[in-house]
């Protein structure tokens, strides 16, 4: 039996001090890989940021001080910011986004105040690292220019003074009546005119000196600017060359006879260490309660602390994994193919193509097949069925809560095939379809159709003889962000069990491909999934934790809670999206005593965890076959009688799988140009219809139609029937010629 303790977070702890430049509060400071982040009491005052282990230490022991006048402040994500001063970086975390913003604002204001108090504010740390000779030269030039400006100001005052005196003398000379006074006045006028001429010459000379000096330094600064531009261009070329060298080294490493070790998996792994019960760490969103596991003295028990973290795995035994799951990937036992031609070692720099596409939608960027994998997005959607036996087991469950656990495991399992799959699937052509008939092996039939090209959207329908139906309409929204690509599937997945009528709905999380500029591409999944049973109102909240270099958590971690319609928790789910998922049943809940922060704890007692799902091992030589799973290897296998719009028949995809990438690129361009021509024809026909005063019809999919779900009220494209009947008759006369 295990014990689960839920502890709430304390409120944000920043406290404004008595002065405008004073701020105090708790922050988490990164210490080392063994201890991770540790909570420290920080005090910001008089341009200095000091930290202590506790508030009591303020009276006698300071653990460190950071001078803000020359510090560089960098704001990260998930409540994280970095202070860099004197070559040393301080990684800090706040309790919440709001608290992080308050700290950053206070630090920036304190830095501005400290910078103004410095004797030479131009040398503040924000200006960037300049060499000492360059700084001295610039300061000397500025002082000389300032001196010349002072000379010009003095000359200006003298010209005004002497000019006014000369004007008075000329006026007096005009008013003279007696000729005897004229000689004296004329002498005075000549003296003042001479002073005016001397001052004017000095003004002209000072202006010339200023202009010459400014012109000389202007040419120097223009040369410096041109040099910086050339250096930037050289840096871009160097980055591209580095990416090419990295690809070459990676190919050489693949071809070497040395054994591939675990470090080649693509996702950077953080250093791991044993959990320490006394260490506190908060690395998740505040509104997503989840759990961690800490071993207790009795090895048969586990304590789960809700500290905005996730549960690690425990026992692998399961009473639910009976019948269907032999863990062998039985697609290989059905006489289907188990390999495809090895992927060629073509070298192409992704950055050279993507650097001008930052911020654009990925589906609108023309990409060569070198960055694809020989499957379409329709086939990638079909890959969600790799672990369909989870739904077969769920259909036999009497308890809707146990059924929810298996549905949650199925929703996580669909990401297991993506851990090494950084290749982009082919964008399906409008009207393209893909069928997967596995009735004999697994009892289901699947049909997908591309229903829109921009934005790219697909409809999917699966019906199983083993008691369930699944359907979805997914629109892909993808953006290139410079360093990474975000893929955001929009739309809901529906699953209905025939016997019970339980209707489950959920959506997908965001996928992110990292290291676009340089380095080994790796993929991460992050976000939340809410699975809702619309009949019983049961709910499951799954959290996919994003990878963090500074986190001590297991990479690719997933945690969740299964609740009934009254929001009472019954199961805790834990695992990773690339390996396995487990569930632990809660058998009792009670209120514990107050914690160290004065917050009351809720204690759950749970049974040992049971295995829900375990990933199949990849086929042999998978690293040379696009890291395809056993099911993915069969998706392009020729099938008799499929529709002429089926993805298996797409020529550029077939050529790429065969290793003929140059021919595949040429065929891909032909198909895309043909699709553009068909779109222009449809637009011209629609305009002609509008000119005739009629209503233009939009494109209508062949096998799907828009309907409103009676239970959820959601309007989406659903299967209208007819495909399998047309296949039985081999009547494909309705299908367009898209290839």
């Amino acid at each position: 039996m295990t014990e689960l303790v839920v502890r709430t977070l304390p409120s944000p702890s920043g406290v404004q001090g008595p002065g405008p430049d004073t701020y105090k509060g708790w922050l988490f400071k990164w210490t080392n890989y063994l201890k991770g982040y540790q909570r420290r009491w920080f005090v910001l005052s008089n341009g200095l940021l000091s930290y202590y282990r506790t508030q009591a230490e303020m009276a006698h022991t300071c653990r460190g001080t950071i001078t803000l006048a020359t510090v560089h402040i960098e704001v990260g994500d998930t409540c994280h910011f970095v202070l860099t001063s004197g070559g040393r970086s301080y990684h800090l975390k706040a309790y919440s986004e709001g608290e992080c913003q308050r700290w950053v604002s206070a630090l920036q204001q304190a830095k501005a105040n400290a910078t103004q108090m410095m004797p030479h504010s131009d040398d503040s740390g924000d200006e960037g690292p300049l060499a000492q000779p360059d700084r001295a030269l610039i300061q000397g030039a500025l002082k000389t220019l300032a001196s010349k400006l002072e000379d010009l100001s003095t000359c200006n005052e003298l010209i005004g003074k002497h000019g006014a005196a000369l004007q008075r003398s000329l006026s007096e000379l005009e008013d003279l009546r007696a000729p005897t006074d004229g000689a004296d006045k004329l002498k005075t006028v000549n003296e003042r005119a001479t002073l005016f001429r001397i001052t004017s010459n000095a003004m002209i000379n000072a202006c010339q000196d200023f202009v010459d000096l400014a012109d000389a330094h202007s040419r120097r600064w223009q040369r410096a600017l041109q040099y910086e531009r050339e250096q930037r261009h050289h840096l871009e070329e160097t980055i591209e060359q580095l990416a090419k060298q990295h690809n070459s080294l990676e190919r050489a490493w693949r071809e070497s006879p040395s054994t591939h070790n675990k470090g080649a998996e693509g996702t950077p792994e953080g250093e791991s260490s044993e959990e320490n019960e006394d260490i506190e760490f908060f690395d998740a969103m505040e509104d997503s309660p989840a759990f961690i596991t800490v071993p207790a003295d009795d090895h048969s028990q586990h304590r789960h602390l809700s500290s905005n973290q996730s549960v690690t795995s425990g026992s692998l035994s399961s009473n639910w994994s009976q019948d269907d799951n032999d863990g062998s990937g039985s697609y290989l036992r059905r006489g289907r193919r188990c390999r495809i031609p090895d992927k060629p070692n073509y070298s192409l720099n992704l950055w050279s193509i993507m650097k001008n596409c930052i911020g654009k939608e990925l589906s609108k960027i023309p990409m060569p097949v070198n960055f694809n994998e020989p499957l379409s997005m329709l086939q990638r959607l079909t890959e969600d069925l790799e672990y369909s036996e989870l739904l077969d087991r769920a259909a036999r469950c009497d308890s809707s809560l146990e059924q929810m656990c298996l549905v949650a495991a199925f929703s996580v399992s669909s990401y297991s095939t993506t851990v090494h799959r950084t290749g982009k699937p082919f964008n399906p052509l409008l009207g393209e379809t893909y069928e997967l008939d596995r009735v004999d092996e697994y009892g289901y039939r699947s049909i997908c159709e591309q229903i829109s090209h921009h934005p790219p959207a697909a409809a999917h329908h699966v019906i199983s003889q083993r008691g369930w139906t699944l359907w979805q309409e997914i629109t892909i929204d993808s953006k290139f962000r410079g360093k990474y690509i975000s893929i955001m599937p929009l739309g809901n997945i529906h699953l209905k069990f025939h016997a019970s009528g339980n209707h489950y709905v959920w959506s997908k999380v965001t996928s992110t491909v990292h290291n676009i500029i340089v380095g080994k591409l790796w993929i991460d999944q992050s976000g939340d999934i809410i699975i809702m049973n619309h009949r019983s109102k049961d709910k499951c909240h799954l959290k996919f934790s994003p990878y963090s270099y500074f986190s001590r958590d297991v990479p690719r971690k997933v945690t969740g809670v299964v609740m009934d319609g009254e929001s009472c928790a019954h199961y805790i789910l834990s695992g990773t999206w690339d390996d396995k998922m487990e569930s632990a049943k809660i058998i009792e809940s009670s209120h514990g005593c107050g914690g160290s922060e004065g917050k009351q704890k809720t204690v759950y007692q749970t049974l040992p965890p049971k295995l829900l799902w375990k990933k199949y091992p990849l086929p042999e030589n998978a690293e040379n076959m696009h890291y395809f799973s056993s099911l993915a290897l069969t998706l392009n296998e020729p099938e008799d009688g499929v529709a002429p719009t089926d993805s298996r028949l797409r020529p550029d995809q077939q050529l790429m799988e065969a290793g003929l990438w140059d021919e595949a690129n040429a065929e891909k361009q032909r198909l895309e140009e043909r699709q553009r021509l068909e779109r222009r024809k449809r637009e011209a026909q629609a305009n002609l219809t509008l000119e005739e005063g009629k209503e233009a019809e939009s494109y209508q999919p062949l096998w799907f139609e828009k309907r409103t779900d009676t239970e959820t009220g959601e309007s989406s494209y659903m299967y209208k029937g007819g495909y399998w009947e047309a296949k039985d008759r081999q009547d494909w006369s309705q299908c367009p010629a898209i290839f």
Side-chain angles (χ1 to χ4, degrees):
M1 194 161 52
T2 63
E3 181 186 14
L4 183 98
V5 181
V6 176
R7 182 177 58 189
T8 59
L9 280 173
S11 60
S13 55
V15 178
Q16 189 72 32
D21 202 18
T22 302
Y23 200 81
K24 301 177 182 179
W26 290 105
L27 289 173
F28 289 91
K29 175 181 173 291
W30 174 261
T31 55
N32 53 52
Y33 288 105
L34 182 63
K35 294 185 177 181
Y37 280 92
Q38 296 289 301
R39 197 170 73 151
R40 296 288 183 261
W41 179 256
F42 280 79
V43 178
L44 171 61
S45 180
N46 297 324
L48 299 176
L49 181 64
S50 305
Y51 56 92
Y52 312 83
R53 281 190 176 176
T54 63
Q55 297 183 49
E57 274 194 354
M58 291 177 61
H60 52 83
T61 305
C62 178
R63 299 290 172 176
T65 301
I66 306 169
T67 303
L68 296 179
T70 57
V71 78
H72 177 69
I73 304 172
E74 181 180 357
V75 181
D77 51 8
T78 63
C79 311
H80 172 252
F81 59 97
V82 182
L83 304 181
T84 304
S85 178
R88 182 178 178 184
S89 296
Y90 300 84
H91 294 266
L92 305 176
K93 274 183 177 284
Y95 281 103
S96 65
E97 294 282 355
E99 183 66 13
C100 177
Q101 185 58 46
R102 286 190 288 273
W103 268 106
V104 170
S105 299
L107 290 169
Q108 289 174 339
Q109 182 60 46
K111 175 185 175 179
N113 295 341
T115 303
Q116 291 175 1
M117 295 173 62
M118 294 182 67
H120 298 289
S121 61
D122 291 337
D123 295 335
S124 65
D126 280 345
E127 294 299 326
L130 288 176
Q132 283 301 119
D134 290 341
R135 284 192 176 185
L137 189 61
I138 291 175
Q139 290 174 5
L142 291 175
K143 289 180 179 178
T144 305
L145 288 172
S147 175
K148 294 297 182 183
L149 282 174
E150 290 180 3
D151 292 343
L152 286 173
S153 178
T154 303
C155 290
N156 184 54
E157 292 178 1
L158 290 175
I159 286 177
K161 177 181 177 181
H162 294 310
L166 180 59
Q167 185 64 39
R168 287 196 303 272
S169 298
L170 290 173
S171 299
E172 292 173 356
L173 188 60
E174 289 177 355
D175 295 336
L176 283 178
R177 299 179 184 272
T180 54
D181 298 333
D184 295 335
K185 293 296 181 182
L186 189 58
K187 181 179 179 181
T188 302
V189 169
N190 288 332
E191 289 175 353
R192 291 179 176 175
T194 301
L195 289 173
F196 185 84
R197 186 183 73 253
I198 293 172
T199 308
S200 299
N201 289 336
M203 179 72 168
I204 293 171
N205 293 334
C207 289
Q208 187 62 45
D209 291 343
F210 182 87
V211 170
D212 292 342
L213 185 62
D215 184 61
H217 285 287
S218 174
R219 288 194 298 270
R220 175 183 177 83
W221 290 332
Q222 286 176 355
R223 289 196 300 270
L225 180 60
Q226 181 62 28
Y227 174 79
E228 292 298 331
R229 287 172 177 167
E230 292 172 356
Q231 287 295 101
R232 187 185 67 179
H233 180 67
H234 177 68
L235 180 59
E236 290 179 353
E237 293 179 341
T238 303
I239 290 176
E240 291 190 23
Q241 186 64 28
L242 182 60
K244 293 177 182 177
Q245 292 174 358
H246 182 90
N247 292 336
S248 301
L249 289 172
E250 197 171 64
R251 288 199 309 275
W253 179 84
R254 280 201 219 99
E255 296 166 359
S256 67
S258 60
T259 303
H260 296 179
N261 55 32
K262 187 177 179 181
E265 288 189 340
T267 303
E269 303 287 348
E271 295 189 26
S272 61
S273 59
E274 291 185 358
E275 289 286 350
N276 186 333
E277 195 173 29
D278 296 328
I279 293 178
E280 296 178 284
F281 178 71
F282 308 92
D283 190 32
M285 293 181 291
E286 290 183 306
D287 56 353
S288 302
F291 312 88
I292 63 169
T293 299
V294 180
D297 294 335
D298 183 358
H299 294 293
S300 66
Q301 295 185 355
H302 297 271
R303 178 180 300 165
H304 301 256
L305 300 179
S306 173
S307 229
N308 282 0
Q309 293 192 345
S310 304
V311 189
T312 59
S313 57
S315 169
L316 298 182
S317 63
S318 175
N319 293 336
W320 295 346
S321 55
Q322 40 192 355
D323 303 335
D324 297 304
N325 184 9
D326 60 4
S328 63
S330 54
Y331 294 97
L332 302 181
R333 298 187 287 103
R334 304 294 179 177
R336 300 193 180 273
R337 69 179 186 180
C338 59
R339 67 170 295 108
I340 59 175
D342 286 357
K343 176 183 177 181
N345 287 323
Y346 282 97
S347 177
L348 190 62
N349 184 6
L350 180 60
W351 175 243
S352 63
I353 296 174
M354 302 292 283
K355 64 183 180 181
N356 296 321
C357 303
I358 296 176
K360 294 183 179 179
E361 184 180 341
L362 192 61
S363 63
K364 296 184 178 180
I365 300 174
M367 298 283 286
V369 301
N370 304 54
F371 302 114
N372 284 40
E373 60 178 20
L375 292 177
S376 73
M377 180 57 73
L378 302 181
Q379 291 166 306
R380 285 292 289 266
L381 283 178
T382 307
E383 270 195 88
D384 289 357
L385 301 172
E386 174 128 23
Y387 298 94
S388 62
E389 72 273 2
L390 290 170
L391 301 183
D392 299 339
R393 287 158 53 194
R396 298 193 298 269
C397 284
D398 295 328
S399 166
S400 64
L401 294 171
E402 290 183 5
Q403 190 177 75
M404 175 69 84
C405 292
L406 289 166
V407 172
F410 174 78
S411 71
V412 174
S413 70
S414 64
Y415 297 97
S416 64
T417 62
T418 67
V419 62
H420 303 292
R421 302 266 293 276
T422 56
K424 175 181 176 290
F426 280 78
N427 286 333
L429 303 174
L430 187 64
E432 186 174 333
T433 61
Y434 182 75
E435 69 157 74
L436 189 68
D437 190 342
R438 292 290 191 266
V439 170
D440 295 338
E441 296 102 322
Y442 302 106
Y444 67 78
R445 276 178 164 180
S446 167
I447 175 66
C448 290
E449 182 180 1
Q450 187 76 358
I451 59 175
S452 171
H453 187 63
H454 283 306
H460 185 202
H461 182 269
V462 190
I463 186 166
S464 172
Q465 295 177 348
R466 300 179 183 177
W468 53 269
T469 300
L470 181 146
W471 68 95
Q472 59 180 318
E473 179 194 336
I474 297 295
T475 301
I476 302 299
D477 184 14
S478 52
K479 293 290 185 181
F480 174 51
R481 307 293 186 181
K483 293 182 181 179
Y484 60 90
I485 294 174
S486 295
I487 300 99
M488 295 151 285
L490 308 176
N492 290 327
I493 303 170
H494 295 255
L495 172 66
K496 192 166 186 176
F497 291 98
H498 303 162
S500 64
N502 286 334
H503 183 177
Y504 297 88
V505 180
W506 70 93
S507 58
K508 290 179 174 286
V509 296
T510 297
S511 301
T512 307
V513 182
H514 296 270
N515 287 353
I516 298 300
I517 297 178
V518 66
K520 185 176 179 64
L521 296 175
W522 61 278
I523 195 167
D524 195 19
Q525 314 287 350
S526 59
D528 294 316
I529 291 179
I530 305 295
I531 306 176
M532 176 64 72
N533 183 343
H534 282 269
R535 190 187 69 84
S536 65
K537 306 305 178 184
D538 298 341
K539 184 171 70 172
C540 176
H541 184 180
L542 292 173
K543 177 177 177 56
F544 288 64
S545 299
Y547 175 82
S548 173
Y549 181 80
F550 299 103
S551 174
R552 300 171 61 202
D553 290 337
V554 177
R556 312 180 189 101
K557 184 168 64 174
V558 181
T559 56
V561 181
V562 174
M563 296 171 284
D564 61 20
E566 304 297 326
S567 297
C568 178
H570 288 266
Y571 288 92
I572 296 170
L573 306 180
S574 62
T576 58
W577 53 263
D578 68 324
D579 186 24
K580 64 182 179 182
M581 286 297 293
E582 297 173 337
S583 69
K585 184 176 182 180
I586 300 169
I587 59 174
E588 186 179 345
S589 64
S590 60
H591 295 291
C593 59
S596 58
E597 290 86 8
K599 302 294 181 180
Q600 192 178 50
K601 297 180 181 179
T602 301
V603 179
Y604 293 119
Q605 292 181 339
T606 69
L607 296 174
K610 299 177 181 180
L611 181 68
L612 295 173
W613 158 74
K614 176 74 176 174
K615 180 187 176 183
Y616 297 145
L618 287 174
E620 185 180 357
N621 195 40
E623 66 275 7
N624 293 321
M625 298 186 296
H626 308 275
Y627 285 100
F628 280 178
S629 65
S630 299
L631 173 61
L633 289 174
T634 70
L635 295 181
N636 270 333
E637 192 173 13
E639 296 273 354
D640 293 333
V642 299
T645 53
D646 197 273
S647 297
R648 295 177 181 86
L649 306 177
R650 181 166 172 163
D652 53 350
Q653 197 169 290
Q654 291 179 334
L655 290 168
M656 183 189 179
E657 185 180 274
L660 305 173
W661 285 16
D662 292 336
E663 294 84 348
N665 274 317
E667 190 64 26
K668 183 173 182 286
Q669 292 179 7
R670 182 189 69 81
L671 290 175
E672 290 173 348
E673 183 57 38
R674 177 171 181 168
Q675 180 167 241
R676 284 190 285 268
L677 179 61
E678 290 295 328
R679 187 187 71 246
R680 287 194 289 267
K681 287 181 180 178
R682 286 195 303 271
E683 292 173 350
Q685 182 62 40
N687 292 333
L688 184 61
T689 303
L690 290 174
E691 290 175 359
E692 294 175 354
K694 302 178 182 178
E695 184 177 353
E697 294 184 0
S698 60
Y699 174 82
Q700 295 299 322
L702 190 56
W703 309 111
F704 290 81
E705 64 182 0
K706 197 133 194 171
R707 294 207 299 263
T708 300
D709 190 278
T710 56
E711 294 186 37
T712 65
E714 177 186 344
S715 180
S716 63
Y717 278 91
M718 304 173 68
Y719 181 58
K720 66 181 181 181
Y723 179 86
W724 303 108
E725 293 78 6
K727 183 180 181 181
D728 292 338
R729 299 191 308 269
Q730 282 299 293
D731 178 12
W732 301 118
S733 57
Q734 303 177 70
C735 295
I738 60 174
F739 299 141

